Amino acid sequence: MIGPILSVRDLRTSFFSQRGEVQAVRGVSFDVAPAEMLGIVGESGSGKSITCMSILRLLKANGRIKSGEALFDGRDLFKLDEDEMRDLRGNDIAVIFQDPMTSLNPTLTVGEQVIETILRHRRLTRAQARQRAIELFELVRIPSATARLKSYPHEFSGGMRQRVMIAMALSCDPKLLIADEPTTALDVTIQRQILMLLKELQTRLGMAVILITHDLGVIAEVTDHIVVMYGGMVMEQGNVRDLFARPRHPYTQGLLAAVPDLRDDTHHRLTPIPGSPPDMAHPPEGCPFAPRCPHTMQQCVAAMPPLFDGARCWLQHPEAPRVAGVNELEPA
Amino acid sequence: MSEETIAPAMWEKLDRSAAETEVIATPSLTYWQDVRKRLWANKPAVVSIGFIVLLILAAIFGPIFSPFSYSDQNLKLANLPPVFEPYRVTDSSGTSTRFFLNASNFNLYQVSEGGQVEEIIRGERKDMLKKRQGFKFGDQAVTLDYSSLPAKLLNADGSVLRPEGLQWNMTYLFGTDQLGRDVLVRQMIGARISLTVAFVATLVNFFIGIFYGGIAGYMGGKTDAVMMRIVEIISTIPLTLYVILLMVVLDSGLISIVVAIGSVFWVDMARMVRGQILMLKSQDYVAAARTMGAGTGRILTKHLLPNSVGPILVTLTMLIPSAIFIESFMSFIGLGVTPPLASWGTLTSEAVETLRAYPHQLFFPAAAISLTMFAFNFLGDGLRDALDPRLRK
Amino acid sequence: MATYVIQRLGLMLLTLFAIVTLTFFLMHAVPGGPFVSERMLAPEIEAALNAKFGLSDPIWLQYLHYLRGIAMFDLGPSFKYPGVSVNQMIADGLPVTLRLGLLAVICVIALGVPMGIVAALNRNKWPDTGVMLLATMGVAIPSYVIATVLLYVFALKLGWVPTFGLDDWRGYILPVLALAGFWISFVARLSRSSLLETFEQDYMTTARAKGLRPGQVLFKHGLRNSLIPVVTVLGPVVANLVTGSFVIEQIFALPGIGRHFVLSITNRDYTAIMGITIFYAALLMVMILIVDLLYLWLDPRIKLSRQSA
Ligand SMILES: Nc1ncnc2c1ncn2[C@@H]1O[C@H](COP(=O)(O)OP(=O)(O)OP(=O)(O)O)[C@@H](O)[C@H]1O
Ligand code: SF4
Ligand SMILES: [Mg+2]
């Protein structure tokens, strides 16, 4: 068994604003194995994007990584200097954002935007880079690739723009691709195409992918492992099959309960669990899910539950009372 | 995995009602309360509001309480400074005279102990060649020597007379202009005129803009296209030129300048209102109101305009300083209000005429208009930030 | 592109026509103006006007005469100076005004944009505060006040530059600064806020996520986009520099068109006022067209939407 390509340990990231310190990420750890697809799910504001942006060290000016490490290929990303980090970005680690409309520069041709990435990291001539860009466009199945290099982003449909983003991300054969809700901004019919393209490319190119999404259907279909985040923390993580079959955290159970049937083909967005997520400027001391959890106990508000074999819930404590449907002993 | 034992009581279910009361519902502010809060938190904007209010009060009531009128001339007391250095000469009988020297026109003026200007002091004949002039205070003789600048006052024995220090001009707090008119009251009249022009012209622009933009946006389609084409043409015309032409035709005066400015600068307002209306038109509640049978006028006034209040307010606050500026600009090039009436523009241009001899006269009109422009700019910025926190930079 | 330019030229001609018409009828409404017969004028002027416009003709015919003159770039005789034509007056003042205006535009771009960049890059630090303070002053204080203060301090008090005239290059410094002051400040503020806004854009994050160097991110991705709003105001900038130059030429006693214009106003030289207004309008529209074409080149998104419209 080879070690993980990326290993995040106890990542803590905060933003400092007028409201004070906003603890967006509060101790997140997970591993990504080479050539696997890891899914990260969670409600809006749970810290998914900030986790990834911390790994890339692309936080807004008021954000700071307070502690933790991110071992990529054995090197701690947080200890690299800015030059080394820049050589890595777009080269070894690439990223795709949610909205292809706004993440492409409207005043440069898409060709230029891909070519500049290649030229930044590869010793190629402009003509060679252009050739490579054409191949990439063909790889992501943009029709009449050569001609489209000269187009501007606004001349593409949303789906095509996201293909351009993918081509750009793949331009230097990254070992890790972070896709932050790559399909959320697209039409439902297009979403599936893009997702299948990503999955196909991932297997074909053998790269690792972190896929952030709201869509549990997507997760079930394409990912290998899954991390469920809430309130800046990992609530539960594990193998997709196990986790879907036997969710052990009340939050994951809530999420899954909101999806009627994962096997039918329509994709389901998360139906919100009643209540609202914690204010990250004043995070609770105990379990962040306690105000919305149907099983809250005295212990839950008193102390933060540790991870019990992949689930951050006091009910997983060996002494905890048995609750039907959560932690009762396995039926024979 | 932490396996330390946990007290069995901790495994009790949490009493939810107790936990919930802990969450004190923070009072949710309405949009306008929120706007007000943000505006009050913006110091420059608050100071600006204070300044503008004071200015308006001074413009309205100041001239009423002033002992002078804006057109009272006293050529004998022309070009007096707001601050002077009084001298004192005591003759042998013990009567002492206080006076100050106006260093620019070499006149002496008698002043009281309290700093009231009393009269100009007549001296002997000027010796044009030697550049000196004698003055008699009882049996004391003082000679004014302006052969080398700054001019100095000499005692009979040739020693230099020393002033008593600085004193504020208590009769004419801001001094007098070249015709001996009180600068303070002229400043206040100037503020009155400039602000009136600005407010009225802005209001006129406001109504034309709302009306025009409202109709274009609401009607949509062909009407909108034609109306916006017209706006496009108007906006390429250099409008200041048109205000100038209009002023030439209408002849200088208060009403003309209001008409000229008011009729020309409504284009931005019209565009903005149209944009707002187009945006709001696409929203559901307007469609709902329409299906419920509300008429066009009602929808326009009840639904659309209230929602556009924010951007309109900002555009208005930004229009006022431009109106002030254009009025003063017109007055400066001689197309504004006619003398003896004053506006900040005419006051500045009058001060420029005497710039070489009395540079201080430029200070008050320049400061007044600049501070006012500052205030409206800060207020406009503050309002915009308060109305739309996302725009905050 | 070509259709767009033709469209714009057409619109320009239309606007110009509107301006000429408006000007003509405004001037016609002036009692004692150029198009009425009862007034006291030097006989040569009377004759010249009559020859030009046929003053006894009905108004529409006079209007056509005037239009014909404009079409042939002939703005008619002066209303005040016998034997002088408005064309001559303009030709006389144009070099000074153009030089002044051009220098001012250069100053606006060469000082305003870098000031904005410095402020944005040092957001909330002292260079930002300093630039913003200066810029706020520049925006709030009217140009004629700036001009007079500059004149007093640097020419009268310190004597570093001449108080009037352009015999020396130093003679340009104060007028150009006074003329451009507002717009330097305006452009500095605009480019700052525009840059800050651009920094927030997703594509800037993309650029950084691609590993581009800070210089590439700023100049290639940031600057071009944030300059778009700056370019859009260049049209108004040119327009306002022109009107600003009336006062500046007056204060510094510079022999430009603006001086002629203000003089014509005080003299009620109606034909000169008309002619210069129309000339200015035409000049401005050409400038604005140039600026718009520049804008088109900078922002590819415009091309499609305008063409399809
Ligand atoms: N620049 C910032 N300043 C202050 N707080 C921030 C900033 N950026 C993010 N946050 C906070 O960090 C928290 C996590 O945000 P994040 O974007 O990671 O959420 P997310 O899980 O990606 O949600 P979504 O599904 O909406 O993308 C949020 O509570 C957010 O308010
Ligand atoms: S720790 Fe307690 S509150 Fe949190 S999820 Fe588990 S049972 Fe619910
Ligand atoms: Mg996110």
Side-chain angles (χ1 to χ4, degrees):
Chain A
M1 174 101 197
I2 17 161
I5 179 124
L6 174 73
S7 173
V8 176
R9 284 291 164 269
D10 194 36
L11 172 67
R12 289 172 194 272
T13 301
S14 288
F15 289 93
F16 296 87
S17 65
Q18 297 103 314
R19 294 198 301 141
E21 180 182 350
V22 179
Q23 303 179 23
V25 179
R26 303 193 288 154
V28 164
S29 306
F30 60 84
D31 290 337
V32 189
E36 85 152 339
M37 198 182 261
L38 173 82
I40 302 185
V41 271
E43 276 173 293
S44 197
S46 55
K48 307 181 295 291
S49 300
I50 301 304
T51 301
C52 292
M53 293 313 261
S54 302
I55 294 168
L56 282 163
R57 299 202 357 217
L58 285 176
L59 295 170
K60 292 270 151 56
N62 63 336
R64 215 180 73 218
I65 298 166
K66 291 189 5 181
S67 69
E69 56 183 21
L71 293 174
F72 178 78
D73 247 359
R75 293 197 288 173
D76 186 354
L77 297 178
F78 299 159
K79 294 217 172 74
L80 298 182
D81 64 30
E82 193 47 40
D83 279 340
E84 291 172 309
M85 195 63 211
R86 260 200 296 278
D87 287 339
L88 223 98
R89 289 190 201 117
N91 193 9
D92 296 314
I93 308 179
V95 59
I96 305 170
F97 297 111
Q98 171 175 344
D99 191 351
M101 181 74 213
T102 57
S103 34
L104 286 167
N105 188 329
T107 56
L108 296 175
T109 60
V110 291
E112 175 58 30
Q113 296 185 57
V114 177
I115 290 170
E116 70 172 350
T117 319
I118 301 170
L119 288 178
R120 167 66 180 85
H121 298 292
R122 295 282 179 272
R123 293 182 156 274
L124 293 178
T125 64
R126 227 189 139 71
Q128 289 168 324
R130 191 166 168 279
Q131 193 49 47
R132 168 93 180 117
I134 295 171
E135 287 163 23
L136 284 164
F137 272 31
E138 277 160 0
L139 182 70
V140 298
R141 288 190 224 106
I142 294 173
S144 45
T146 317
R148 299 306 317 243
L149 281 185
K150 285 201 216 60
S151 302
Y152 287 95
H154 69 267
E155 293 164 324
F156 285 89
S157 67
M160 281 298 151
R161 269 196 288 260
Q162 198 61 298
R163 283 171 197 264
V164 172
M165 276 301 285
I166 295 173
M168 202 158 81
L170 298 182
S171 61
C172 297
D173 302 310
K175 300 194 184 98
L176 173 66
L177 174 69
I178 298 175
D180 189 350
E181 304 190 36
T183 60
T184 312
L186 303 177
D187 283 353
V188 186
T189 45
I190 312 291
Q191 286 187 1
R192 201 181 159 74
Q193 290 175 15
I194 294 290
L195 203 73
M196 287 307 137
L197 175 71
L198 262 182
K199 180 71 197 170
E200 176 199 323
L201 291 171
Q202 184 244 334
T203 4
R204 205 158 111 196
L205 304 175
M207 62 183 170
V209 173
I210 298 180
L211 178 70
I212 300 179
T213 179
H214 280 166
D215 194 331
L216 278 172
V218 163
I219 291 276
E221 207 163 343
V222 297
T223 60
D224 309 306
H225 283 89
I226 169 171
V227 169
V228 181
M229 285 190 66
Y230 186 82
M233 306 178 101
V234 176
M235 287 292 115
E236 182 165 12
Q237 60 187 23
N239 178 292
V240 175
R241 218 159 317 222
D242 298 345
L243 203 130
F244 272 73
R246 254 175 296 108
R248 298 186 303 146
H249 195 284
Y251 178 59
T252 320
Q253 289 166 351
L255 290 181
L256 287 172
V259 184
D261 184 359
L262 286 175
R263 270 163 298 275
D264 79 13
D265 241 10
T266 52
H267 291 255
H268 302 279
R269 304 199 119 236
L270 295 182
T271 315
I273 301 162
S276 50
D279 176 6
M280 301 313 287
H282 310 281
E285 242 173 74
C287 171
F289 190 56
R292 299 165 73 185
C293 179
H295 315 295
T296 319
M297 303 165 292
Q298 300 285 354
Q299 176 66 13
C300 303
V301 290
M304 178 70 70
L307 271 173
F308 293 97
D309 191 22
R312 190 182 288 281
C313 174
W314 280 119
L315 286 178
Q316 299 302 322
H317 193 278
E319 292 165 25
R322 302 292 102 182
V323 175
V326 184
N327 62 352
E328 85 274 43
L329 295 172
E330 202 68 14
Chain B
M1 244 174 276
S2 60
E3 296 282 338
E4 75 267 30
T5 43
I6 284 152
M10 295 305 278
W11 298 120
E12 299 280 308
K13 262 209 136 187
L14 186 75
D15 184 2
R16 191 67 79 165
S17 60
E20 240 133 76
T21 44
E22 254 178 64
V23 187
I24 305 150
T26 45
S28 70
L29 299 175
T30 69
Y31 174 65
W32 287 107
Q33 283 169 323
D34 219 29
V35 167
R36 202 158 55 208
K37 210 178 104 201
R38 277 197 296 266
L39 188 61
W40 284 123
N42 183 333
K43 295 233 170 51
V46 174
V47 172
S48 298
I49 292 175
F51 177 82
I52 292 168
V53 168
L54 277 182
L55 189 72
I56 291 175
L57 289 180
I60 296 175
F61 299 109
I64 300 174
F65 296 113
S66 170
F68 305 101
S69 99
Y70 67 92
S71 53
D72 283 346
Q73 300 184 5
N74 185 351
L75 289 173
K76 279 193 193 138
L77 297 181
N79 292 319
L80 295 186
V83 182
F84 44 69
E85 291 180 313
Y87 297 86
R88 183 187 303 275
V89 174
T90 312
D91 71 1
S92 52
S93 67
T95 38
S96 73
T97 315
R98 277 182 106 231
F99 62 91
F100 73 91
L101 163 67
N102 187 340
S104 302
N105 60 8
F106 312 126
N107 284 332
L108 299 188
Y109 301 88
Q110 189 170 332
V111 290
S112 72
E113 294 295 331
Q116 308 274 348
V117 178
E118 285 164 347
E119 58 180 350
I120 189 165
I121 299 174
R122 306 198 142 272
E124 293 156 4
R125 270 195 46 157
K126 280 187 178 165
D127 182 340
M128 293 299 198
L129 280 179
K130 282 191 183 153
K131 299 199 171 166
R132 347 173 111 237
Q133 185 179 18
F135 290 89
K136 279 268 183 301
F137 298 94
D139 52 10
Q140 293 282 328
V142 170
T143 311
L144 170 70
D145 177 359
Y146 56 96
S147 56
S148 67
L149 294 179
K152 44 189 180 294
L153 287 163
L154 305 173
N155 284 319
D157 57 8
S159 61
V160 177
L161 202 60
R162 295 267 163 233
E164 293 185 330
L166 282 176
Q167 187 167 33
W168 202 272
N169 184 338
M170 295 312 286
T171 311
Y172 302 102
L173 288 172
F174 285 10
T176 59
D177 67 5
Q178 52 181 331
L179 295 176
R181 296 174 293 200
D182 179 36
V183 170
L184 176 59
V185 73
R186 284 185 67 72
Q187 278 294 322
M188 292 190 291
I189 286 290
R192 190 187 268 187
I193 300 294
S194 292
L195 290 180
T196 309
V197 170
F199 283 126
V200 177
T202 301
L203 267 184
V204 174
N205 278 312
F206 168 69
F207 283 116
I208 300 179
I210 293 265
F211 192 70
Y212 194 96
I215 290 184
Y218 190 78
M219 304 297 271
K222 278 233 168 59
T223 323
D224 180 38
V226 172
M227 287 176 88
M228 280 303 118
R229 204 15 89 86
I230 293 175
V231 160
E232 206 175 308
I233 290 181
I234 293 178
S235 64
T236 48
I237 299 179
L239 295 178
T240 318
L241 281 179
Y242 262 81
V243 176
I244 292 177
L245 269 193
L246 275 176
M247 290 306 293
V248 169
V249 176
L250 295 175
D251 257 329
S252 313
L254 192 54
I255 304 214
S256 316
I257 189 121
V258 169
V259 169
I261 299 177
S263 57
V264 161
F265 290 95
W266 49 269
V267 173
D268 284 343
M269 181 66 80
R271 276 201 175 130
M272 201 240 10
V273 171
R274 170 180 174 270
Q276 285 288 314
I277 288 190
L278 285 187
M279 192 185 80
L280 292 164
K281 228 165 83 171
S282 60
Q283 281 167 14
D284 295 339
Y285 61 93
V286 174
R290 200 195 295 263
T291 50
M292 282 161 69
T296 301
R298 197 181 152 72
I299 290 179
L300 213 58
T301 53
K302 285 276 162 195
H303 294 274
L304 295 180
L305 292 183
N307 283 290
S308 315
V309 158
I312 288 176
L313 213 60
V314 174
T315 314
L316 272 184
T317 356
M318 292 306 198
L319 243 167
I320 291 174
S322 355
I324 292 179
F325 174 74
I326 289 164
E327 184 278 325
S328 72
F329 179 87
M330 289 296 142
S331 299
F332 190 86
I333 62 174
L335 281 174
V337 295
T338 39
L341 214 55
S343 84
W344 284 330
T346 56
L347 289 172
T348 317
S349 81
E350 283 166 14
V352 169
E353 287 168 24
T354 56
L355 184 69
R356 275 157 203 272
Y358 309 103
H360 70 265
Q361 291 186 0
L362 182 65
F363 176 79
F364 293 106
I369 187 161
S370 303
L371 287 178
T372 311
M373 302 286 281
F374 268 121
F376 277 104
N377 274 308
F378 283 136
L379 179 58
D381 284 349
L383 265 180
R384 195 187 46 213
D385 290 349
L387 287 164
D388 190 351
R390 280 172 306 134
L391 288 175
R392 187 161 217 150
K393 279 282 121 63
Chain C
M1 185 69 187
T3 30
Y4 173 71
V5 174
I6 290 169
Q7 241 178 32
R8 284 296 311 268
L9 280 174
L11 187 66
M12 214 176 96
L13 282 182
L14 197 67
T15 314
L16 214 56
F17 172 74
I19 289 175
V20 172
T21 309
L22 205 63
T23 314
F24 178 85
F25 286 100
L26 272 176
M27 281 299 147
H28 212 280
V30 177
F35 302 104
V36 284
S37 26
E38 328 64 60
R39 73 207 146 180
M40 310 291 286
L41 270 186
E44 306 99 295
I45 296 177
E46 188 74 60
L49 280 174
N50 206 358
K52 201 87 213 165
F53 305 123
L55 294 178
S56 47
D57 289 340
I59 171 168
W60 59 269
L61 208 55
Q62 292 187 23
Y63 173 58
L64 288 183
H65 288 314
Y66 195 72
L67 274 185
R68 189 186 56 195
I70 301 280
M72 284 153 44
F73 300 105
D74 176 4
L75 297 167
S78 160
F79 194 60
K80 274 283 137 71
Y81 302 106
V84 177
S85 77
V86 178
N87 283 32
Q88 277 167 314
M89 289 167 102
I90 292 177
D92 181 43
L94 192 59
V96 167
T97 301
L98 274 191
R99 230 172 293 149
L100 213 59
L102 205 65
L103 285 173
V105 171
I106 293 173
C107 272
V108 168
I109 298 168
L111 293 177
V113 174
M115 275 165 71
I117 296 176
V118 168
L121 289 180
N122 294 288
R123 190 180 177 190
N124 295 338
K125 297 194 203 115
W126 68 262
D128 184 23
T129 321
V131 164
M132 287 321 282
L133 199 73
L134 210 67
T136 310
M137 276 166 58
V139 168
I141 304 177
S143 60
Y144 60 84
V145 173
I146 296 182
T148 348
V149 172
L150 285 177
L151 183 72
Y152 178 70
V153 175
F154 293 103
L156 291 179
K157 273 273 141 171
L158 299 173
W160 290 355
V161 291
T163 47
F164 61 86
L166 297 169
D167 310 327
D168 184 353
W169 62 269
R170 290 180 308 161
Y172 282 98
I173 299 178
L174 295 189
V176 167
L177 272 188
L179 190 55
F182 176 89
W183 291 103
I184 294 175
S185 315
F186 188 89
V187 164
R189 277 163 53 125
L190 187 66
S191 22
R192 172 183 181 269
S193 68
S194 174
L195 257 175
L196 287 179
E197 198 167 305
T198 308
F199 288 163
E200 300 284 308
Q201 298 295 317
D202 291 348
Y203 59 78
M204 292 296 279
T205 316
T206 308
R208 293 202 291 148
K210 293 197 293 194
L212 298 186
R213 298 195 172 83
Q216 283 175 300
V217 175
L218 174 65
F219 287 104
K220 191 166 173 186
H221 289 263
L223 212 52
R224 187 183 173 121
N225 281 289
S226 51
L227 279 187
I228 289 172
V230 176
V231 171
T232 34
V233 300
L234 281 186
V237 168
V238 174
N240 284 281
L241 283 182
V242 165
T243 35
S245 71
F246 302 164
V247 178
I248 301 300
E249 287 175 17
Q250 189 79 359
I251 292 177
F252 291 96
L254 307 178
I257 308 181
R259 189 110 187 284
H260 281 303
F261 190 57
V262 176
L263 224 69
S264 317
I265 292 168
T266 9
N267 289 338
R268 304 274 138 169
D269 188 341
Y270 293 109
T271 46
I273 299 177
M274 279 174 86
I276 297 178
T277 305
I278 291 166
F279 173 77
Y280 268 144
L283 186 72
L284 286 182
M285 274 181 296
V286 172
M287 295 297 198
I288 289 174
L289 181 64
I290 294 174
V291 167
D292 279 2
L293 292 181
L294 195 66
Y295 181 48
L296 209 67
W297 171 74
L298 260 181
D299 191 350
R301 279 167 299 184
I302 304 300
K303 281 178 198 158
L304 260 191
S305 57
R306 286 250 177 112
Q307 268 167 11
S308 59

